[in-house]
């Protein structure tokens, strides 16, 4: 959570910083602020609320500094308020700092600094950082070119928790220092200018060449160069990585909202994710993986670990891996998995799914599995993200930048990739060839079927107009359709603020049916031909109790029974969630719009959850 941006070059820094903040606002929007160096003095401008409040502040256009740092906040310590907004200064106004993460020992550090005469003006954990840097800077009797760096390094040694930090010092007007631990930060390289950002898309319009900083590394940015150090201040050499995404992929491109654009980008995202992994005639290939029949036969269990929507993609993956490869697979949310002492050893393969690759709980779960000797495989949408750097193997979805907080194209791409991964394993294990070949053929036809499904939006819009004022909505399904019910329910609650529950359709009568009353909306997904009759019976039970029903199906059902039936194209059950989720994404989107909400930036949420 929180987004940070930095610039050093020959242009005015403030417009570049504000441009970056606008693109990072999805990471938090409780306050925004910037600090630049103006005639060898630090300037700070900040306010609570959105970035637009910042660029309306009087005097912001007068900033002429060519070096600066900026922050958009998702509040953790201290309420959203001007005094808690970043950047924060030390007491002597020598250092300004922006920070993404949580300093877990800030109370202890605050006490230490208070005893040494420092005063605190905010309730944040961050304010200890500039003061701690100042403490070490003051103690250092040398005044060479590395004094600023030494002070930052000494301060970092005392910090516990997670951080991506940018620091300016008024005594070093041509240097910016950045460092990170368990929080994202990338360095963009330009011509005589350099950039910092929490993610790549925010600065794609300035550069496509990036340095990736590893945990506990420090970087000193000057206009013409970037120098890297480890925590012992030994220089490190680094190469840039060139990113293929183009800048327009991070723009709305004529759509009203990023979420809508991203829903409509799904045919492309799936085409790109399928890529050249296979054709009907050959076996599935992953250049990044080197599993063999022996190494796979040695795996007794697979865990898929992720959070939120990515975990729902994992549930679809479990179905494919168990049925195609006959390997027991468990799915868990990372925040539970990491604290339940999971039974993981060298015979376990642990797969971690994360769009951002920066989710704190997922990263922690991955580290735990590595410690226990498991093989680890990351699925991410972001090249060079933290989980991909930690894992033994990494494979990528090719969804392009996902900006809306609610995940859409990343989810369907994750589902696609994990099903392809299951095929890859199954082919190595020499499983049922006919089943695999049919599935591969069906996958090749999927992008066109997604396009067809997207054309069904009008009926969904009409139904949303009738439903948007409801207080509770239920989602039902069986088997693979239940995983989609879960994802549909999450999508709805996060962007429309309507309470919703998802249930296995057969479980309803064991309790939740007590909540069904006249006119309550029940959404059901029915795509598995083997379970149609059972699910329809369960829906009959809610209709009898007065429910309104929306059915997403690819089966021939008696449509007169239901209030609205959305007929999606038929496809292989292994990949049906990629089609059946689309009407539900649109349903949530239209309800949110009907309620006049900010679809892309729902309250209390941030795109990348880099705190526990
Ligand atoms: C919901 C949503 C979240 C994320 C979750 C994990 O629409 O986007 O539930 O799926 O926070 O994020 P990543 O995939 O970045 O680890």
């Amino acid at each position: 959570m929180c987004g940070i941006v930095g610039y050093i070059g020959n242009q005015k820094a403030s417009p570049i910083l504000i441009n970056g903040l606008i693109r990072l606002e999805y990471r938090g929007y409780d306050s925004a602020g910037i600090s630049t160096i103006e005639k060898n003095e630090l300037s700070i401008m900040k306010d609570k609320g959105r970035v637009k409040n910042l660029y309306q502040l009087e005097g912001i256009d007068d900033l002429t500094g060519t070096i600066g740092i900026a922050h958009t906040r998702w509040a953790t310590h201290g309420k959203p308020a001007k005094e808690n907004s970043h950047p924060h200064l030390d007491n002597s106004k020598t250092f300004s700092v922006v920070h993404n993460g949580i300093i877990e020992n800030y109370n202890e550090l605050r006490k230490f600094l208070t005893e040494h005469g420092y005063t605190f003006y905010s309730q944040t954990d961050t304010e200890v950082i500039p003061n701690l840097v100042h403490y070490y800077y003051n103690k250092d009797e040398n005044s060479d070119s590395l004094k600023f760096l030494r002070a930052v390094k000494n301060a970092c040694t005392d910090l516990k928790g997670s951080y991506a930090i940018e620091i300016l010092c008024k005594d070093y007007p041509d240097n910016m220092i950045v460092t990170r631990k368990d929080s994202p930060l990338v360095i963009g390289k330009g011509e005589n200018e350099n950039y910092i950002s929490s993610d790549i898309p925010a600065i794609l319009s300035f550069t496509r060449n990036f340095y990736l900083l590893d945990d506990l590394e420090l970087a000193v940015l000057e206009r013409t160069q970037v120098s890297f150090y480890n925590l012992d201040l030994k220089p490190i050499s680094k190469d840039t990585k060139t990113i293929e995404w183009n800048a327009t992929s991070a723009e709305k491109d004529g759509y009203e909202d990023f979420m809508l654009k991203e829903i409509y980008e799904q045919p492309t995202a799936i085409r790109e994710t399928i890529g050249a992994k296979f054709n009907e005639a050959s076996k599935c290939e992953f250049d990044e993986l080197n599993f063999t029949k022996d190494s796979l036969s040695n795996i007794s269990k697979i865990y898929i670990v992720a959070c939120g929507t990515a975990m729902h993609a994992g549930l679809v993956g479990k179905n494919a891996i168990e049925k195609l490869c006959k390997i027991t697979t468990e799915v868990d949310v990372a925040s539970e998995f990491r604290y339940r002492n999971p039974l993981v050893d060298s015979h376990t393969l642990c797969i971690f799914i994360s769009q951002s690759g920066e989710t704190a709980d997922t990263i922690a779960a991955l580290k735990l599995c590595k410690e226990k000797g498991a093989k680890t495989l990351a699925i991410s949408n972001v090249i060079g993200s933290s989980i991909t750097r930690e894992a033994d193997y990494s494979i990528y979805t090719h969804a392009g930048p996902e900006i809306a907080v609610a995940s859409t194209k990343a989810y369907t791409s994750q589902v696609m990739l994990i099903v392809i991964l299951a095929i890859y394993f199954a082919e190595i294990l020499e499983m049922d060839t006919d089943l695999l070949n049919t599935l591969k053929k069906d996958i090749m036809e999927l992008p066109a079927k997604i396009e067809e499904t997207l054309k069904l939006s009008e009926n969904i819009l009409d139904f949303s107009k009738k439903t948007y004022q409801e207080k509770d909505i239920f989602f039902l399904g069986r088997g693979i359709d239940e995983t989609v019910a879960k994802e549909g329910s999450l999508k709805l609650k996060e962007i429309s603020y309507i309470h919703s529950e998802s249930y296995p359709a057969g479980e309803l009568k064991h309790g939740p049916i007590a909540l069904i009353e006249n006119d309550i909306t029940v959404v059901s997904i029915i795509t598995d031909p083997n379970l149609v009759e059972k699910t329809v019976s369960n829906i009959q039970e809610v209709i009898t109790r007065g429910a309104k029903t929306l059915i997403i199906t690819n089966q021939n059902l008696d449509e007169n029974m239901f209030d609205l039936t959305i007929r999606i194209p038929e496809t292989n059950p292994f990949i049906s969630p990629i089609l059946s989720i689309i009407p539900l994404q649109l349903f949530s989107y239209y309800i949110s719009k009907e309620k006049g909400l900010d679809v892309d930036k729902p309250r209390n949420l941030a795109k990348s959850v880099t705190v526990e």
Side-chain angles (χ1 to χ4, degrees):
M1 341 285 248
C2 300
I4 62 174
V5 199
Y7 174 75
I8 177 166
N10 297 308
Q11 307 181 56
K12 222 170 121 159
S14 56
I16 296 170
L17 296 172
I18 289 174
N19 181 304
L21 285 187
I22 291 168
R23 284 155 204 270
L24 285 179
E25 234 190 354
Y26 72 85
R27 300 178 66 88
Y29 21 89
D30 290 327
S31 66
I34 70 173
S35 169
T36 53
I37 301 186
E38 306 286 323
K39 300 197 182 81
N40 293 341
E41 289 299 325
L42 291 172
S43 99
I44 300 251
M45 300 200 89
K46 57 187 184 178
D47 206 352
K48 74 172 195 178
R50 300 240 161 142
V51 178
K52 69 173 186 307
N53 297 0
L54 179 66
Y55 61 71
Q56 282 162 3
L57 288 181
E58 215 182 298
I60 197 121
D61 292 336
D62 303 333
L63 298 174
T64 55
T66 55
I67 172 170
I69 57 179
H71 187 269
T72 177
R73 179 168 186 245
W74 187 83
T76 56
H77 295 62
K79 63 179 190 300
K82 185 170 178 188
E83 73 269 18
N84 292 326
S85 311
H86 299 216
H88 288 282
L89 285 168
D90 71 299
N91 287 177
S92 72
K93 300 189 172 39
T94 308
F95 300 96
S96 63
V97 166
V98 295
H99 162 224
N100 168 28
I102 290 183
I103 304 304
E104 288 166 1
N105 58 338
Y106 82 101
N107 263 331
E108 190 188 308
L109 293 171
R110 205 171 159 127
K111 188 163 169 274
F112 168 82
L113 288 164
T114 309
E115 282 163 9
H116 286 80
Y118 289 84
T119 306
F120 289 88
Y121 300 96
S122 76
Q123 293 94 51
T124 65
D125 52 335
T126 302
E127 205 185 353
V128 297
I129 303 171
N131 286 306
L132 198 58
V133 174
H134 177 263
Y135 169 81
Y136 284 112
Y137 189 74
N138 234 9
K139 263 181 59 173
D140 192 335
E141 283 168 7
N142 301 312
S143 50
D144 55 87
S145 63
L146 293 180
K147 181 171 173 173
F148 176 21
L149 180 63
R150 276 196 302 276
V152 175
K153 173 244 150 170
N154 285 328
C156 286
T157 314
D158 290 347
L159 300 179
K160 293 204 179 107
S162 59
Y163 50 81
I165 307 172
E166 298 176 320
I167 311 179
L168 295 180
C169 173
K170 76 178 169 79
D171 301 342
Y172 289 77
D174 300 313
N175 282 186
M176 174 193 307
I177 296 184
V178 301
T179 182
R180 69 177 284 259
K181 179 180 166 278
D182 296 334
S183 287
L185 182 152
V186 294
I187 302 171
K189 184 180 176 320
E191 270 303 306
N192 298 326
E193 54 189 1
N194 291 299
Y195 304 84
I196 298 292
S197 176
S198 297
D199 75 14
I200 289 170
I203 51 173
L204 262 186
S205 53
F206 303 117
T207 181
R208 284 170 57 192
N209 299 317
F210 289 87
Y211 293 109
L212 302 174
L213 202 61
D214 282 323
D215 272 357
L216 300 174
E217 289 180 344
L218 297 123
V220 181
L221 279 78
E222 295 167 77
R223 287 177 177 79
T224 51
Q225 63 172 27
V226 186
S227 318
F228 298 95
Y229 300 87
N230 65 17
L231 254 199
D232 299 326
L233 295 192
K234 298 240 163 56
I236 308 168
S237 75
K238 262 186 203 290
D239 292 328
T240 53
K241 248 184 192 310
T242 303
I243 301 298
E244 282 165 19
W245 294 349
N246 60 33
T248 50
S249 56
E251 307 286 347
K252 280 192 201 160
D253 220 7
Y255 283 89
E256 241 175 273
D257 306 277
F258 278 111
M259 182 176 175
L260 191 63
K261 174 181 177 246
E262 289 160 8
I263 290 173
Y264 278 89
E265 281 174 342
Q266 291 178 106
T268 312
I270 296 299
R271 267 192 197 100
E272 299 279 325
T273 300
I274 298 168
K277 298 277 180 323
F278 51 71
N279 58 50
E280 283 163 50
S282 66
K283 287 202 170 165
C284 181
E285 290 288 345
F286 277 93
D287 294 341
E288 313 84 335
L289 305 181
N290 57 4
F291 286 92
T292 60
K293 192 168 182 187
D294 273 354
S295 67
L296 279 179
S297 306
N298 208 17
I299 291 171
S300 56
K301 187 171 193 177
I302 293 180
Y303 275 107
I304 303 176
V305 183
C307 301
T309 287
M311 191 277 286
H312 295 158
L315 293 171
V316 185
K318 167 188 161 80
N319 177 63
I321 295 172
E322 289 196 332
K323 291 199 172 119
L324 298 175
C325 313
K326 312 284 181 234
I327 304 176
T328 304
T329 304
E330 266 191 48
V331 182
D332 210 343
V333 286
S335 54
E336 289 297 315
F337 177 85
R338 60 184 288 202
Y339 293 116
R340 73 170 167 85
N341 203 6
L343 298 176
V344 167
D345 59 24
S346 59
H347 297 289
T348 322
L349 170 65
C350 298
I351 301 176
F352 300 86
I353 310 179
S354 172
Q355 186 284 128
S356 61
E358 303 296 347
T359 300
D361 282 317
T362 310
I363 298 170
L366 194 165
K367 287 182 177 164
L368 175 75
C369 293
K370 273 178 83 176
E371 272 165 34
K372 286 176 174 270
K375 280 172 214 58
T376 55
L377 189 158
I379 296 183
S380 179
N381 195 36
V382 181
I383 294 177
S385 57
S386 297
I387 68 161
T388 66
R389 282 188 270 164
E390 284 287 339
D392 298 322
Y393 308 97
S394 297
I395 54 175
Y396 292 94
T397 48
H398 291 270
E402 191 178 65
I403 310 290
V405 166
S407 184
T408 53
K409 63 176 181 171
Y411 165 77
T412 44
S413 303
Q414 286 160 352
V415 168
M416 188 71 273
L417 192 59
I418 197 156
V419 171
I420 296 175
L421 182 70
I423 298 174
Y424 165 78
F425 287 159
E427 286 184 334
I428 295 174
L429 290 166
E430 295 171 9
M431 295 294 181
D432 186 342
T433 327
D434 288 347
L435 183 68
L436 296 173
N437 285 345
T438 311
L439 176 55
K440 282 157 75 174
K441 189 172 140 294
D442 292 337
I443 288 175
M444 300 309 279
E445 289 168 3
L446 194 61
K449 291 185 178 175
I450 300 175
E451 274 154 9
E452 253 181 80
T453 310
L454 285 166
K455 290 187 189 138
L456 303 169
S457 61
E458 220 159 279
N459 283 344
I460 302 165
L461 173 62
D462 289 346
F463 192 79
S464 309
K465 285 187 174 160
K466 291 183 206 142
T467 334
Y468 77 101
Q469 283 169 320
E470 311 235 325
K471 295 273 175 289
D472 308 282
I473 295 186
F474 284 80
F475 288 76
L476 304 180
R478 279 175 179 258
I480 199 74
D481 294 329
E482 198 243 325
T483 69
V484 178
K486 282 193 160 68
E487 174 58 9
S489 168
L490 173 62
K491 220 78 312 171
L492 182 77
K493 55 170 84 85
E494 72 179 315
I495 61 167
S496 76
Y497 316 151
I498 294 177
H499 166 250
S500 84
E501 304 257 359
S502 68
Y503 263 94
E507 186 66 12
L508 205 65
K509 55 177 138 337
H510 298 286
I513 201 162
L515 295 168
I516 304 293
E517 53 188 5
N518 231 9
D519 269 348
I520 206 153
T521 297
V522 176
V523 180
S524 307
I525 305 101
I526 312 179
T527 67
D528 187 336
N530 298 320
L531 297 169
V532 179
E533 282 164 18
K534 302 267 175 236
T535 314
V536 171
S537 304
N538 298 134
I539 295 164
Q540 192 61 63
E541 290 157 11
V542 299
I543 292 175
T544 307
R545 285 155 182 86
K548 277 196 305 231
T549 49
L550 165 61
I551 309 292
I552 315 296
T553 187
N554 55 17
Q555 302 295 305
N556 268 325
L557 303 180
D558 174 5
E559 296 189 7
N560 295 323
M561 278 176 70
F562 314 113
D563 292 276
L564 176 64
T565 305
I566 301 289
R567 192 65 211 268
I568 58 173
E570 255 185 79
T571 188
N572 197 306
F574 284 111
I575 49 176
S576 67
I578 295 176
L579 297 181
S580 53
I581 193 60
I582 290 172
L584 301 180
Q585 294 169 342
L586 288 165
F587 180 56
S588 308
Y589 173 82
Y590 290 133
I591 288 192
S592 177
K593 290 300 278 184
E594 215 49 53
K595 291 180 85 170
L597 301 173
D598 187 341
V599 176
D600 286 339
K601 298 188 189 93
R603 71 183 177 205
N604 305 339
L605 289 171
K607 181 77 182 159
S608 179
V609 185
T610 52
V611 293
E612 266 192 60

